[in-house]
Amino acid sequence: MISPTDNPILIVDDSPTNSTVLLGMLQQSGFKVIVVNSGEAALEKVEMILPSLILLDIMLPNMDGFEICRHLKSVEVTRDIPVIFMTALSQTEDKVKGFNLGAVDYITKPLQKEEILARVNVHLNLRNLNKQLAEKTTELTIALDQLQKSQIQLIQNEKMSTLGQLVAGIAHEINNPIGAISANSIYASTYVNELVDHLRLYQQKATEDEISNHAQEIELDFLIEDLSNILTTMREGAMRVKDISESFRIFSRHDNEDKVLFDIHEGLESTLLIIQHRLKAYDKQPKIEVLKDYGKLPLITCFPGPLNQVFMNLLVNAVDALRDYHHKYLNSPKKPQIKIKTALNEEGTHAVIHIQDNAMGIPDEIQEKIFGYAFTTKPVGKGTGLGLAIARQIIFEKHGGSLEVNSTAGEGAEFIIHLPL
Ligand SMILES: Nc1ncnc2c1ncn2[C@@H]1O[C@H](COP(=O)(O)OP(=O)(O)OP(=O)(O)O)[C@@H](O)[C@H]1O
Ligand SMILES: [Mg+2]
């Protein structure tokens, strides 16, 4: 309900009879009313009073009602004030023109008390609703803006966390072979120096005694065998680094523009390599075993980079869940396991990828929520809650597939991806 006292009404009419009638009936209903008898007076007063409604006569000397209305609509502060024209019953053209100029309604002379009050109330109510709507719209726009900003921030965080995993993975995986290469290279160079010294003895035509003494000194037989072993180890290390680098290349493929043919198993393998360091025994917990059951799959037309990110998000979630579970039940007889299974569906239309763990599972009541933006049960700073939301978006929107969860609380969780061929 509107309050009459908070909604002043301006009457613009040069006929004292009309304005007196109007004034009387509106004041009786409690409205604050201001009466002016010309367009000039109306425009002079309106910005000061800022009425909630204007009752405007059309036939006025000098400036008629239409012109006044045009003025009101051209000024920011008065534009939204509803205008009701007052016209004689027969003047249809005037009514149309009035509406075209932005009037909200008209009333006909001779004036009918009930009708006027009803229309005034309707338009005051409408105006107040409009005002509230405008305020709410502003509030919502601000809220939406903030939401988008925090969403961008969240996505940025998620990217950083993927990047963090990646860098940690690279560092860890490359550490061992590089360590082996660099440690062995010291022995290799010592051995080579000793061998060169030994060869010099031949060059200098040393005596057999000298040569055999030196051979003994440098343990020549052992040296030759060990040098060969060392070189093999170094070569293997170098090849390992090459494989790792190839895996990272596969993992972070940036063909985001067009879909390409891709071997899903290659994607899974390169992702496993990146999270390898998190599968090892850790903090009194046993190592996480990965059981693979790869079926026969054709190459799939997809975006490899984003798809690998999905595998990573699902595998990291499984690792997190297993670590959590075994941290809580330190001596649990359950062996931490992740099963990865791939197959074609029965109709042969989709590749189906299962990623299953045997941690604590997901309670029924949050099973649909986990795909929502920013839903996480992990401590602040640990999870952004975007992993599954992004995964589902990549599978659903980019690939027209589906990502579902299947879990019995207490027994583990299984995520199932369906990718159309
Ligand atoms: N394998 C799983 N076992 C048990 N709970 C899971 C598993 N995977 C996901 N969840 C639950 O779903 C929630 C949402 O997962 P999601 O990957 O979207 O975010 P997050 O892992 O919490 O954070 P982020 O992925 O950004 O680091 C998790 O917080 C967890 O409660
Ligand atoms: Mg996650």
Side-chain angles (χ1 to χ4, degrees):
M1 223 18 233
I2 51 144
S3 136
T5 44
D6 293 339
N7 290 284
I9 298 175
L10 177 67
I11 299 172
V12 190
D13 198 333
D14 64 336
S15 143
T17 332
N18 269 337
S19 40
T20 313
V21 173
L22 276 173
L23 182 70
M25 80 174 70
L26 289 172
Q27 276 182 339
Q28 233 180 21
S29 302
F31 286 103
K32 195 177 154 201
V33 185
I34 303 99
V35 180
V36 294
N37 62 6
S38 73
E40 292 83 350
L43 293 181
E44 200 189 305
K45 287 245 160 113
V46 72
E47 291 193 29
M48 248 160 44
I49 311 165
L50 287 179
S52 296
L53 186 76
I54 300 173
L55 293 171
L56 185 54
D57 191 18
I58 294 179
M59 302 273 268
L60 290 164
N62 294 332
M63 192 190 279
D64 69 10
F66 297 131
E67 213 183 322
I68 300 172
C69 187
R70 206 174 286 127
H71 260 282
L72 291 169
K73 297 295 164 194
S74 69
V75 178
E76 176 80 40
V77 284
T78 56
R79 179 173 299 151
D80 294 330
I81 304 172
V83 173
I84 299 180
F85 276 117
M86 294 183 287
T87 152
L89 196 55
S90 56
Q91 292 159 319
T92 314
E93 252 177 62
D94 283 354
K95 292 173 198 163
V96 173
K97 193 169 173 191
F99 280 125
N100 285 341
L101 284 172
V104 292
D105 205 355
Y106 62 87
I107 49 184
T108 49
K109 298 178 192 176
L111 302 169
Q112 306 284 326
K113 185 180 170 184
E114 279 75 21
E115 185 192 340
I116 292 176
L117 282 177
R119 290 192 192 263
V120 164
N121 275 315
V122 164
H123 289 292
L124 286 175
N125 269 324
L126 268 180
R127 173 175 158 79
N128 284 336
L129 286 175
N130 271 335
K131 260 178 149 174
Q132 285 171 14
L133 202 66
E135 279 162 20
K136 283 274 171 287
T137 307
T138 316
E139 278 172 30
L140 281 175
T141 312
I142 294 170
L144 185 67
D145 194 50
Q146 278 168 350
L147 203 65
Q148 275 166 345
K149 278 191 193 129
S150 50
Q151 192 181 348
I152 290 168
Q153 187 60 48
L154 279 170
I155 290 171
Q156 198 55 35
N157 287 349
E158 172 70 12
K159 282 202 178 128
M160 288 310 287
S161 99
T162 307
L163 192 68
Q165 312 252 20
L166 213 72
V167 172
I170 296 177
H172 198 276
E173 283 313 306
I174 287 192
N175 240 352
N176 281 341
I178 292 281
I181 292 171
S182 88
N184 280 310
S185 73
I186 298 169
Y187 291 110
S189 84
T190 311
Y191 286 168
V192 168
N193 285 339
E194 285 170 350
L195 272 181
V196 169
D197 286 346
H198 195 64
L199 284 177
R200 285 230 171 85
L201 295 180
Y202 286 96
Q203 259 183 339
Q204 291 158 2
K205 303 213 162 48
T207 63
E208 251 177 62
D209 266 0
E210 280 171 317
I211 290 173
S212 85
N213 281 346
H214 187 255
Q216 234 166 21
E217 212 176 282
I218 63 172
E219 297 178 73
L220 185 61
D221 290 338
F222 169 79
L223 183 153
I224 289 169
E225 195 192 319
D226 204 32
L227 182 59
S228 158
N229 289 341
I230 280 175
L231 289 177
T232 307
T233 310
M234 285 170 74
R235 192 169 52 242
E236 281 167 0
M239 262 153 43
R240 175 92 183 120
V241 172
K242 190 160 159 273
D243 285 349
I244 292 165
S245 134
E246 172 66 7
S247 277
F248 284 113
R249 199 186 57 74
I250 292 170
F251 181 84
S252 51
R253 283 173 66 155
H254 278 294
D255 13 38
N256 286 346
E257 297 290 312
D258 295 304
K259 288 186 178 173
V260 294
L261 281 175
F262 182 60
D263 179 351
I264 297 285
H265 297 139
E266 223 175 54
L268 286 165
E269 285 299 304
S270 72
T271 310
L272 279 173
L273 187 98
I274 287 158
I275 62 156
Q276 194 63 39
H277 65 290
R278 293 212 48 206
L279 302 176
K280 292 179 179 154
Y282 156 86
D283 193 20
K284 293 184 201 150
Q285 295 187 24
K287 82 172 198 314
I288 296 172
E289 205 178 349
V290 178
L291 304 174
K292 299 174 205 166
D293 177 6
Y294 291 165
K296 221 172 136 52
L297 287 184
L299 296 181
I300 292 195
T301 317
C302 64
F303 297 103
L307 207 55
N308 288 333
Q309 196 189 339
V310 173
F311 298 152
M312 163 108 124
N313 288 355
L314 296 180
L315 287 166
V316 166
N317 278 349
V319 173
D320 284 348
L322 287 165
R323 287 298 176 220
D324 231 37
Y325 181 87
H326 287 271
H327 178 75
K328 211 162 161 191
Y329 307 103
L330 198 54
N331 293 315
S332 161
K334 259 198 207 177
K335 270 199 190 132
Q337 266 178 357
I338 297 176
K339 282 187 195 158
I340 306 176
K341 187 179 161 198
T342 63
L344 278 183
N345 67 345
E346 271 179 24
E347 298 80 11
T349 55
H350 287 73
V352 189
I353 303 144
H354 303 250
I355 294 180
Q356 187 183 7
D357 64 66
N358 63 348
M360 63 290 202
I362 303 164
D364 281 349
E365 60 277 15
I366 66 163
Q367 275 187 25
E368 260 316 303
K369 288 195 193 150
I370 57 173
F371 295 100
Y373 266 91
F375 179 86
T376 182
T377 56
K378 292 170 193 175
V380 184
K382 189 129 188 281
T384 64
L386 286 184
L388 288 175
I390 288 176
R392 191 173 246 184
Q393 195 182 1
I394 290 172
I395 296 296
F396 182 70
E397 281 171 24
K398 283 190 121 94
H399 294 93
S402 67
L403 170 62
E404 304 298 334
V405 65
N406 188 353
S407 172
T408 310
E411 285 179 18
E414 179 183 27
F415 287 83
I416 306 162
I417 303 172
H418 279 81
L419 271 184
L421 295 184

